[in-house]
Amino acid sequence: MTEDSQRNFRSVYYEKVGFRGVEEKKSLEILLKDDRLGILPPHHESHAKVMMYRKEQYLDVLHALKVVRFVSDATPQAEVYLRMYQLESGKLPRSPSFPLEPEDEVFLAIAKAMEEMVEDSVDCYWITRRFVNQLNTKYRDSLPQLPKAFEQYLNLEDGRLLTHLKMCSAAPKLPYDLWFKRCFAGCLPESSLQRVWDKVVSGSCKILVFVAVEILLTFKIKVMALNSAEKITKFLENIPQDSSDAIVSKAIDLWHKHCGTPVHSS
């Protein structure tokens, strides 16, 4: 596989938000030399201004949150991103002590994972925000259909395993939120996760289904030995990390096997 085809999640996502052909470790200054920057202005002299405005907006929102004492210098960075997102989307609660909504938990999980991929805090916030917005808009109708698709493809790959899940009443209780709403954030390590998110960003959330299927196939013996929905779900929420890269590689193979080359298939 060529170096270009092995670009990681961050590189591909930069393309989606306007930075085409970005290598992981290059500075923003180098990014601005690219001719095709999508949503950014076509003139190079405008690029620096856009980045400056984004940084200023980030700092302004951060300052506002500090003034109202929603965040401080001691606030975990992922929580800072969440509060910024809430403020900008008009969903900031009355008090930081209010319990988080389910959608806030999803954002927080994705932000924590994104921190491991993106070093610069301004970039991390903007990319997290764009990624979550993509899930909430482009994939809004597709994500609720993924559990059904999961059962369909698991049945094709190993009907006996699916039957076991149903007999244990585990099928409807699998960690679908972790898999499909959080896109495996908190389940897979960063090195594996960014390969999955690369596919999501490129236009297909169905890769999430095949990762879930491959997790079941990989740990089939363990799952078949468990006889309660609670035990199965608990195990799947905390799978061993040392098999993650192999799981993702096999999941991508399954994806191509069942969907051909679904570059933009949702």
Side-chain angles (χ1 to χ4, degrees):
M1 194 176 275
T2 65
E3 182 176 350
D4 285 343
S5 65
Q6 292 178 325
R7 290 175 304 172
N8 68 3
F9 160 76
R10 178 154 56 134
S11 299
V12 174
Y13 206 81
Y14 270 133
E15 291 188 2
K16 287 291 181 179
V17 298
F19 302 127
R20 296 192 178 276
V22 179
E23 296 301 329
E24 179 182 3
K25 299 299 183 181
K26 290 186 178 179
S27 68
L28 294 179
E29 181 179 357
I30 295 176
L31 298 183
L32 296 175
K33 294 179 181 178
D34 199 302
D35 286 328
R36 299 180 61 190
L37 298 180
I39 62 172
L40 287 180
H43 303 294
H44 284 297
E45 58 269 21
S46 301
H47 299 167
K49 289 185 179 180
V50 171
M51 294 308 303
M52 180 183 70
Y53 291 149
R54 286 184 173 177
K55 184 173 183 178
E56 287 180 352
Q57 181 177 343
Y58 174 93
L59 294 175
D60 286 346
V61 175
L62 179 60
H63 176 70
L65 288 170
K66 287 183 176 180
V67 168
V68 296
R69 297 183 180 180
F70 253 81
V71 302
S72 69
D73 292 337
T75 304
Q77 195 62 45
E79 185 179 336
V80 171
Y81 298 147
L82 170 63
R83 298 308 186 185
M84 292 177 70
Y85 183 74
Q86 289 177 325
L87 181 59
E88 291 198 288
S89 58
K91 297 180 180 180
L92 190 69
R94 293 182 180 181
S95 167
S97 62
F98 280 21
L100 297 178
E101 297 292 334
E103 63 184 41
D104 299 329
E105 297 283 3
V106 169
F107 185 99
L108 203 56
I110 291 173
K112 287 178 180 178
M114 197 74 75
E115 278 190 281
E116 300 299 317
M117 304 180 198
V118 185
E119 296 174 6
D120 183 82
S121 58
V122 177
D123 290 348
C124 188
Y125 171 66
W126 279 98
I127 294 173
T128 301
R129 173 176 148 170
R130 293 296 183 99
F131 185 73
V132 170
N133 283 341
Q134 184 179 26
L135 296 178
N136 292 338
T137 55
K138 181 176 181 178
Y139 297 136
R140 180 183 58 188
D141 296 329
S142 300
L143 291 177
Q145 306 303 319
L146 297 188
K148 182 178 179 180
F150 163 78
E151 288 196 15
Q152 173 191 344
Y153 288 112
L154 181 60
N155 186 50
L156 290 173
E157 292 296 320
D158 195 321
R160 184 164 168 260
L161 183 51
L162 179 60
T163 298
H164 174 71
L165 293 176
K166 290 184 174 181
M167 288 183 64
C168 295
S169 300
K173 300 177 182 178
L174 296 177
Y176 292 127
D177 284 356
L178 173 64
W179 292 347
F180 304 143
K181 290 186 178 181
R182 302 188 184 193
C183 301
F184 293 95
C187 176
L188 299 176
E190 175 254 334
S191 60
S192 303
L193 189 62
Q194 59 186 343
R195 296 173 61 201
V196 177
W197 287 7
D198 171 86
K199 305 302 181 186
V200 175
V201 167
S202 296
S204 176
C205 65
K206 191 171 283 187
I207 184 62
L208 301 173
V209 170
F210 295 108
V211 174
V213 169
E214 187 55 46
I215 286 174
L216 267 296
L217 295 177
T218 298
F219 298 110
K220 175 181 177 178
I221 295 177
K222 175 68 175 180
V223 172
M224 292 291 285
L226 299 174
N227 55 12
S228 75
E230 181 182 359
K231 290 179 180 179
I232 291 173
T233 300
K234 185 176 181 179
F235 171 75
L236 293 175
E237 288 176 339
N238 300 278
I239 61 171
Q241 302 287 290
D242 54 359
S243 302
S244 297
D245 284 342
I247 287 172
V248 172
S249 294
K250 292 177 181 178
I252 292 173
D253 289 342
L254 279 179
W255 183 51
H256 287 292
K257 171 185 173 181
H258 289 286
C259 302
T261 309
V263 177
H264 299 293
S265 171
S266 61

